[in-house]
Amino acid sequence: MISIYSYSKDSNGTGQLTPREREVVEEFPLPLNVNGREIATLIASPHDLRFLVAGFLRLQGFVERVEDFKLLSVCTDFGVAKVEIKGELPEKLKPVLTSGCGTGITFTIPKALQGGTVDQDRTFSPDALFSMMDEMAKAAQRYSNHGGMHSAAVGFDSLCLYAEDLGRHNTIDRIAGEALLKGIDLAGMMLVTSGRVSSEMVAKAALLGITLIASRTSPTSMAIKIADAAGITLIGYVRAGRFDIYAHPERLQIASQ
């Protein structure tokens, strides 16, 4: 909680300031040291950082299994993540600055453009999509407390894993990390998100085998391109019993007119 002042006008139209207490979004910079080499600083919310780190490394292609970790340590007191993995990091990493909140970093977008990465036989009903969106909204505790947070969830027709973070891209990393550490296969699942669907989010979803992505807002042009190449159904503006389909409508169980 922090002390703030709220401005409002009284019945006479006179402006006044009122002192009050309010919760705000916490922003936590986490330097990521892998095999003795600092490769990135993750800007994130300070909860469940092991999931975030594990998912980030998984989606960068540095680890595939829990056994690939020799050490996975996050020290919030000193604000650093120290990781040791089997094998060596590439000598040169070419980061891509993404459109994620706070500017995300990814090394994986080109991999998703190769296409054909997901189960083409999986289908979903509109009711399952609306149900997942409703479950995600009900689970958004941190957003309910102070706003300023993004949410994401995965499942088939009900919520399997859920994550919140100040960064949209971080929510995917958190889900990927939790699934890895808990041995949950995400292939064929639906991903729903509260924020704009950007290219790095679709690229990461493709690497996880996600077959459908849906958002309450819009996708970017590059997100549509990657979804189309990867075979992912991409849906936006899921609101009040309607939505728009930007890629692969054939995966929706909708009766022909």
Side-chain angles (χ1 to χ4, degrees):
M1 301 289 286
I2 65 167
S3 298
I4 66 168
Y5 287 92
S6 291
Y7 174 82
S8 62
K9 289 184 178 181
D10 60 22
S11 58
N12 297 320
T14 303
Q16 59 183 355
L17 293 177
T18 304
R20 57 179 295 200
E21 299 290 313
R22 183 172 186 137
E23 289 191 57
V24 296
V25 175
E26 291 187 69
E27 191 171 13
F28 192 86
L30 184 69
L32 176 55
N33 186 297
V34 180
N35 290 359
R37 177 179 167 191
E38 187 172 318
I39 64 170
T41 296
L42 307 179
I43 306 297
S45 303
H47 65 281
D48 298 330
L49 290 171
R50 290 181 75 254
F51 292 156
L52 175 66
V53 171
F56 178 82
L57 293 175
R58 176 186 183 181
L59 293 175
Q60 304 311 313
F62 299 146
V63 298
E64 295 181 359
R65 305 170 301 164
V66 173
E67 292 77 16
D68 291 333
F69 288 103
K70 295 181 179 179
L71 173 70
L72 176 56
S73 173
V74 177
C75 179
T76 54
D77 290 341
F78 292 95
V80 65
K82 184 177 181 181
V83 181
E84 293 180 11
I85 62 174
K86 294 180 179 178
E88 298 295 329
L89 294 172
E91 183 177 348
K92 292 184 178 181
L93 294 172
K94 187 177 181 181
V96 177
L97 297 180
T98 72
S99 60
C101 304
T103 305
I105 297 175
T106 185
F107 308 102
T108 60
I109 285 179
K111 298 178 183 178
L113 290 171
Q114 296 171 4
T117 59
V118 302
D119 179 3
Q120 300 301 316
D121 296 325
R122 173 69 62 181
T123 62
F124 296 91
S125 70
D127 286 344
L129 170 58
F130 293 133
S131 176
M132 281 279 291
M133 277 290 188
D134 289 342
E135 285 193 64
M136 180 184 69
K138 291 175 182 176
Q141 184 61 48
R142 291 181 178 85
Y143 178 83
S144 299
N145 289 341
H146 46 62
M149 300 287 284
H150 289 287
S151 304
V154 291
F156 290 108
D157 52 11
S158 62
L159 190 151
C160 174
L161 293 177
Y162 170 81
E164 279 186 284
D165 198 278
L166 59 87
R168 287 173 287 118
H169 53 91
N170 287 348
T171 62
I172 312 301
D173 287 346
R174 288 178 179 277
I175 287 173
E178 184 173 0
L180 178 64
L181 297 181
K182 293 183 176 180
I184 298 173
D185 185 3
L186 302 180
M189 289 192 183
M190 174 197 319
L191 167 69
V192 295
T193 176
S194 62
R196 184 179 71 252
V197 181
S198 51
S199 57
E200 72 273 19
M201 294 177 69
V202 179
K204 290 177 177 183
L207 295 172
L208 294 170
I210 296 293
T211 55
L212 183 150
I213 302 172
S215 171
R216 293 198 182 280
T217 60
S218 64
T220 66
S221 60
M222 181 62 79
I224 297 170
K225 179 179 179 180
I226 295 176
D228 187 58
I232 295 174
T233 297
L234 183 58
I235 294 174
Y237 295 107
V238 183
R239 300 173 185 176
R242 66 169 303 277
F243 52 77
D244 296 332
I245 308 171
Y246 293 84
H248 295 283
E250 67 276 6
R251 191 166 284 114
L252 273 295
Q253 300 166 6
I254 301 175
S256 300
Q257 299 295 320

